[in-house]
């Protein structure tokens, strides 16, 4: 478990509000690493999620952040939004070698 050594203030905006500024030319990749808030971002994206052809998201097998969704819940939510996993890569392991987090790359299921 990581120790909290400082706090930073950040501006929080909905994905649907910033997407027109960031990707005016069409579909793109959504890369999320938001310290356990990834699925709250996805849930709040609304119709903006339809603009993404793929998602790369960091998911926890072992709980890392208070209130985070389990990786099973997250994969199910993304599947219901039309994405399927194409790659899962380890990010971190505990001292016994067990998986803590992994990056999951998902594509739109067309």
């Amino acid at each position: 478990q990581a120790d909290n050594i400082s706090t930073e203030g950040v501006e929080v905006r909905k994905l649907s509000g910033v997407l027109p500024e960031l990707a005016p030319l069409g579909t793109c990749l959504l890369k999320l690493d938001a310290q356990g808030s990834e699925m709250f971002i996805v849930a709040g994206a609304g119709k903006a999620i339809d603009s993404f052809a793929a998602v790369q998201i960091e998911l926890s097998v072992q709980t890392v952040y208070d209130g985070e969704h389990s990786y099973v819940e997250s994969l199910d939510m993304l599947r219901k939004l039309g994405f399927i996993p194409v790659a899962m890569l380890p990010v971190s392991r505990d001292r016994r070698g067990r998986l803590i987090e992994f990056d999951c790359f998902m594509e739109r299921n067309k």
Side-chain angles (χ1 to χ4, degrees):
Q1 176 152 357
D3 293 326
N4 185 6
I5 58 171
S6 69
T7 302
E8 294 289 329
V10 296
E11 179 184 2
V12 177
R13 295 171 56 193
K14 283 194 160 199
L15 188 58
S16 58
V18 298
L19 188 60
E21 300 169 28
L22 301 175
L25 300 177
T27 59
C28 54
L29 163 73
L30 176 62
K31 165 63 167 92
L32 291 172
D33 184 352
Q35 284 67 51
S37 297
E38 291 83 357
M39 295 315 298
F40 297 107
I41 294 168
V42 170
K47 287 289 186 187
I49 201 72
D50 295 339
S51 299
F52 297 99
V55 174
Q56 182 178 341
I57 186 167
E58 188 172 284
L59 300 174
S60 298
V61 175
Q62 300 180 37
T63 301
V64 176
Y65 303 103
D66 290 337
E68 72 180 326
H69 290 80
S70 75
Y71 73 97
V72 174
E73 292 172 313
S74 300
L75 289 170
D76 190 50
M77 288 173 68
L78 288 162
R79 181 189 56 78
K80 288 176 180 173
L81 291 169
F83 295 95
I84 58 169
V86 294
M88 295 179 182
L89 306 165
V91 170
S92 60
R93 296 181 183 274
D94 66 18
R95 290 183 179 146
R96 294 177 56 194
R98 297 175 299 189
L99 190 61
I100 298 173
E101 297 173 292
F102 65 95
D103 270 340
C104 182
F105 188 82
M106 303 180 80
E107 290 182 343
R108 177 99 27 216
N109 188 12
K110 294 182 179 185

